[in-house]
Structure formats: structure tokens, C-alpha cells
Amino acid sequence: MTDTEHVEAPGVPALAEPAAPLAGRRREVLHFALRNRKVVGGSVVILAFLLLGLVAPLFTDHGPNEYVGPPSAPPSADYWFGTTTFGQDVFLQFANGIRSTFVVGLLGGGLAGVIGMTVGFVAGYRGGLVDELLNMLTNIVLVLPALAVLIILHAYVGITSVPMQALFIGLFSWPWVARAVRAQTFSIRSREFVDLARLSGMRPLAVIRREIAPNMSSYLFMTFILLFGGAVLMAATLDFIGLGPTDVVSLGLMMNSAVHWSALHLGLWWWFVPPGAAITAIVGALYVMNVGLDEVFNPKLREM
């Protein structure tokens, strides 16, 4: 990859030259974000699920895996999402599963973002041998089949908790971020305000933190949204195939249990439909938000 190569992450807009002071820029972005139906709609869905996951478990006096009702009961006033074949409250499992989903998304996406952005900033700013070494490391991790590696790690190490699952997901989700941030850093590092900061004696890390990163804030924010959604999908996949933590309730584990205990054949649709619909809604809302933010941050799309 050459210094002039340009790489864009899917769904993330190219950077634009800042045209207003930071405070004015923030007000402008907020103004258009509140007027964008995709951003508002996606945010409402995400906040609704987050609120449900945080609040619903607080109003119950039993755990999600306790046997509290009649087996295989359909949705009712007492059990909103019905019960499992063992009499467990599906709604309470659903609420706790949403909480685990957000924890994995935040931790896994956050870790992948930190690693990818650090590698991308350093490689793009320093160039030379440092760039070649970091780019080689990025390409190595990029070609590894993440799901297969996670399965092997689970077999030898074991995924025993949500933070450990998020750690493994984050360690294999960052390469595309590093490549995208590296390309954008290449395009910014030669601009006049970066040269001025460098000539003033500012250290490289300070230049990256104060001059380069702020001009990529919208780009980085949208990148985190993609990482969040990717972590949620990866965690749900691992849980569904039985490779996630078993000491907590998650949406993927709910679907795994429903399949394992033949909920589909028994007609217990309320056991497997809610978690699948929630994962689809959360990831879909994140994608819609990303498209809306693309229109907000990109003046050309905004004018359309």
C-alpha cells in the first residue's frame, strides 16, 4: 500500500475539510442530525432496547433462569413473552440478553476501535519502517478467519464470561479499521496545520491527538457504530453455536436453547422469535443510523 492509496470503510464517508469553528460545526451537525429521520429512528430503537435491558430486570424478584411459571405457557398478562419448556420467564431472559448484547458490543467494538485506530494513526503518521511493520501485522490478522480462530480459542481457552468474549472479538475485528484510519491519516498529515504543529515542537503523539484525530471525529464515530454492530453479530453467532459464556443469558444463547429443546417443532415461537428479532432490529438500527450520519456529516449528501 502506497502513501497515496485511499481506503474507505464501507458505510463511512470520506473526510471533508473543516469549514467552521469546532463549536459551530457541532451545532450544525446536531441540527441536521435531529432533522434526519434515519438518525432519529435508529437512535430511538437503540435507546429503547438499552432502556429495556437496564430497567426491566430491576422490577423482578427472580432470576432469568429460575422456574417461575407453567412450562411452555404462551404469552399472557403474567408472562409477556411466555415461558420455556422448563417454566422460565422468556421476557426476563430477553431483557437480560439485551443487556449482555450491549455489553459485548461496547467492549468488543471499543477494544477493536482502540487497537485499529492506534495502529492506523501511528502507521499513517510515521510511515517508513514502522508503517511497513504495522501494515504487515494488520494484513496477517486480516487474512485470519476470525470465526475459526475464535472456535479454536474457545476449545483451548474457553469463553467463560462476557468480557472475555468481547476481548476475543475485539482482538480480531480491528484490521479494516487500521487500514481505513491509516489511509485517512496519510491524507491529513501533509496539511498545513499539521506541519505547523510539527514545526512548533509538538510530539508525534500530541500531533495525532490534537490535530489529526479531531479532524476525523465523525469518521471515527461512524467506524465505532460499525464495530458495535459487528461485535453484536459475532457474539450472537458464537452463542448460537454454543461457544459463548454459559453463566449469563444472551440473545444468542436463548436461540441456542430454543433450538436445543425443539422449540420450533413444539410451536413455541415466543421462545426463539424475540431474540432473533431483537438482534436484527439492533443491527439494522445501527446500519440505518450509519447511513443517516453519512448524510449528516457529508454536506453533498445532506443537500440531496
Side-chain angles (χ1 to χ4, degrees), residues 6 49 60 86 99 193 203 231 247 265 270 275 278 287:
H6 181 72
F49 276 110
T60 58
F86 303 101
R99 180 185 297 181
F193 62 91
R203 295 183 178 182
D247 59 341
H265 298 289
W270 55 85
Y287 173 77

Side-chain angles (χ1 to χ4, degrees), residues 3 60 68 148 152 156 206 237 284 302:
D3 288 5
T60 58
V68 297
I152 295 173
Y156 285 94
T237 302
R302 185 190 309 160

Side-chain angles (χ1 to χ4, degrees), residues 137-188:
L137 174 63
T138 301
N139 291 333
I140 292 175
V141 180
L142 187 63
V143 298
L144 291 175
L147 182 59
V149 172
L150 289 174
I151 292 175
I152 295 173
L153 286 175
H154 175 78
Y156 285 94
V157 179
I159 301 177
T160 58
S161 65
V162 170
M164 182 175 292
Q165 183 183 54
L167 173 65
F168 288 156
I169 293 175
L171 289 177
F172 293 95
S173 303
W174 58 268
W176 70 266
V177 180
R179 298 187 68 178
V181 172
R182 171 184 177 270
Q184 297 293 350
T185 303
F186 270 134
S187 67
I188 293 179

Side-chain angles (χ1 to χ4, degrees), residues 116-126 181 185 208 212-213 216 220:
M117 292 173 191
T118 300
V119 172
F121 279 132
V122 174
Y125 182 79
R126 296 298 298 270
V181 172
T185 303
I208 294 174
I212 297 179
M216 297 174 59
L220 300 179

Side-chain angles (χ1 to χ4, degrees), residues 9 15-16 23 47 101 114 131-132 170 173 202 241 247 264-265 276 292 298:
L15 295 177
L47 290 176
T101 295
V114 170
D131 175 44
E132 292 181 5
S173 303
M202 190 178 296
I241 62 178
D247 59 341
L264 180 62
H265 298 289
N298 192 331

